[in-house]
Amino acid sequence: MSAPDGSPVGAERSIGQLFASATTELSALVHDEIALAKAQLKQDVKRGAMSGGAFSMAGAVLVFSLPMLNFALAYGIRTWSGWNLAVCFLLSFAANVLVAGLLALIGVTFAKKAKKSQGPQKVAASMKETAGVLQNAKPHPRRELPEEQAPAAIEAVARSSS
């Protein structure tokens, strides 16, 4: 088994390797969070489009079907019941308004779902939290090296981080 940078687990890794590994993982985390925000935004846009489509269909049904449906339904009701023609036209109009109301209700339902979704805000909050944790991170205390070993240790760290 090995660490993300390829070194064996349990082996001592240099500060440069640890920093490179942390940077790589942080970059991957940020990219994943951005991808998540895009996916959630796309879902919200789809819900909004469904809502707009349902409202459009409600309007189209109400406007374009009223004349033909009113005449057909009114004459059908008159033939079936023998009532006054004016009452038959009012009943056919009420049926059209009922259909348009159902389509508008569907539109309102999808609009509420799109408005209620807080996907991108959750991701943004998560990214801010990650940045806050990294800003407050303090380096691990190190023991001081004797003066004769200090230049060699600095040189080793410099080589490992490049």
Side-chain angles (χ1 to χ4, degrees):
M1 191 163 158
S2 64
D5 65 353
S7 64
V9 173
E12 291 292 322
R13 297 191 300 172
S14 69
I15 294 173
Q17 289 172 330
L18 292 172
F19 184 76
S21 176
T23 303
T24 303
E25 290 173 14
L26 180 63
S27 176
L29 176 65
V30 169
H31 285 288
D32 289 345
E33 287 181 347
I34 289 171
L36 176 62
K38 285 181 181 180
Q40 288 175 340
L41 188 60
K42 190 181 290 186
Q43 184 180 19
D44 290 346
V45 167
K46 283 183 183 178
R47 285 184 180 150
M50 286 292 294
S51 172
F55 280 125
S56 299
M57 289 300 296
V61 165
L62 187 61
V63 170
F64 293 119
S65 71
L66 283 179
M68 294 302 288
L69 288 176
N70 280 339
F71 280 105
L73 191 57
Y75 283 112
I77 291 171
R78 180 175 169 98
T79 301
W80 175 71
S81 68
W83 292 341
N84 185 356
L85 193 56
V87 173
C88 297
F89 272 103
L90 284 175
L91 287 174
S92 67
F93 175 74
N96 286 322
V97 169
L98 181 67
V99 168
L102 288 174
L103 288 172
L105 184 63
I106 291 169
V108 167
T109 303
F110 277 108
K112 284 183 180 178
K113 284 183 182 179
K115 187 177 181 180
K116 194 182 288 187
S117 176
Q118 299 293 322
Q121 289 83 0
K122 288 180 185 176
V123 173
S126 172
M127 290 176 74
K128 286 180 184 177
E129 183 180 332
T130 302
V133 167
L134 290 175
Q135 286 176 348
N136 295 331
K138 296 186 174 135
H140 184 66
R142 294 181 190 86
R143 61 182 176 87
E144 291 196 25
L145 296 173
E147 284 189 28
E148 64 272 358
Q149 290 182 351
I154 293 172
E155 205 174 286
V157 170
R159 273 187 271 128
S160 67
S161 41
S162 55

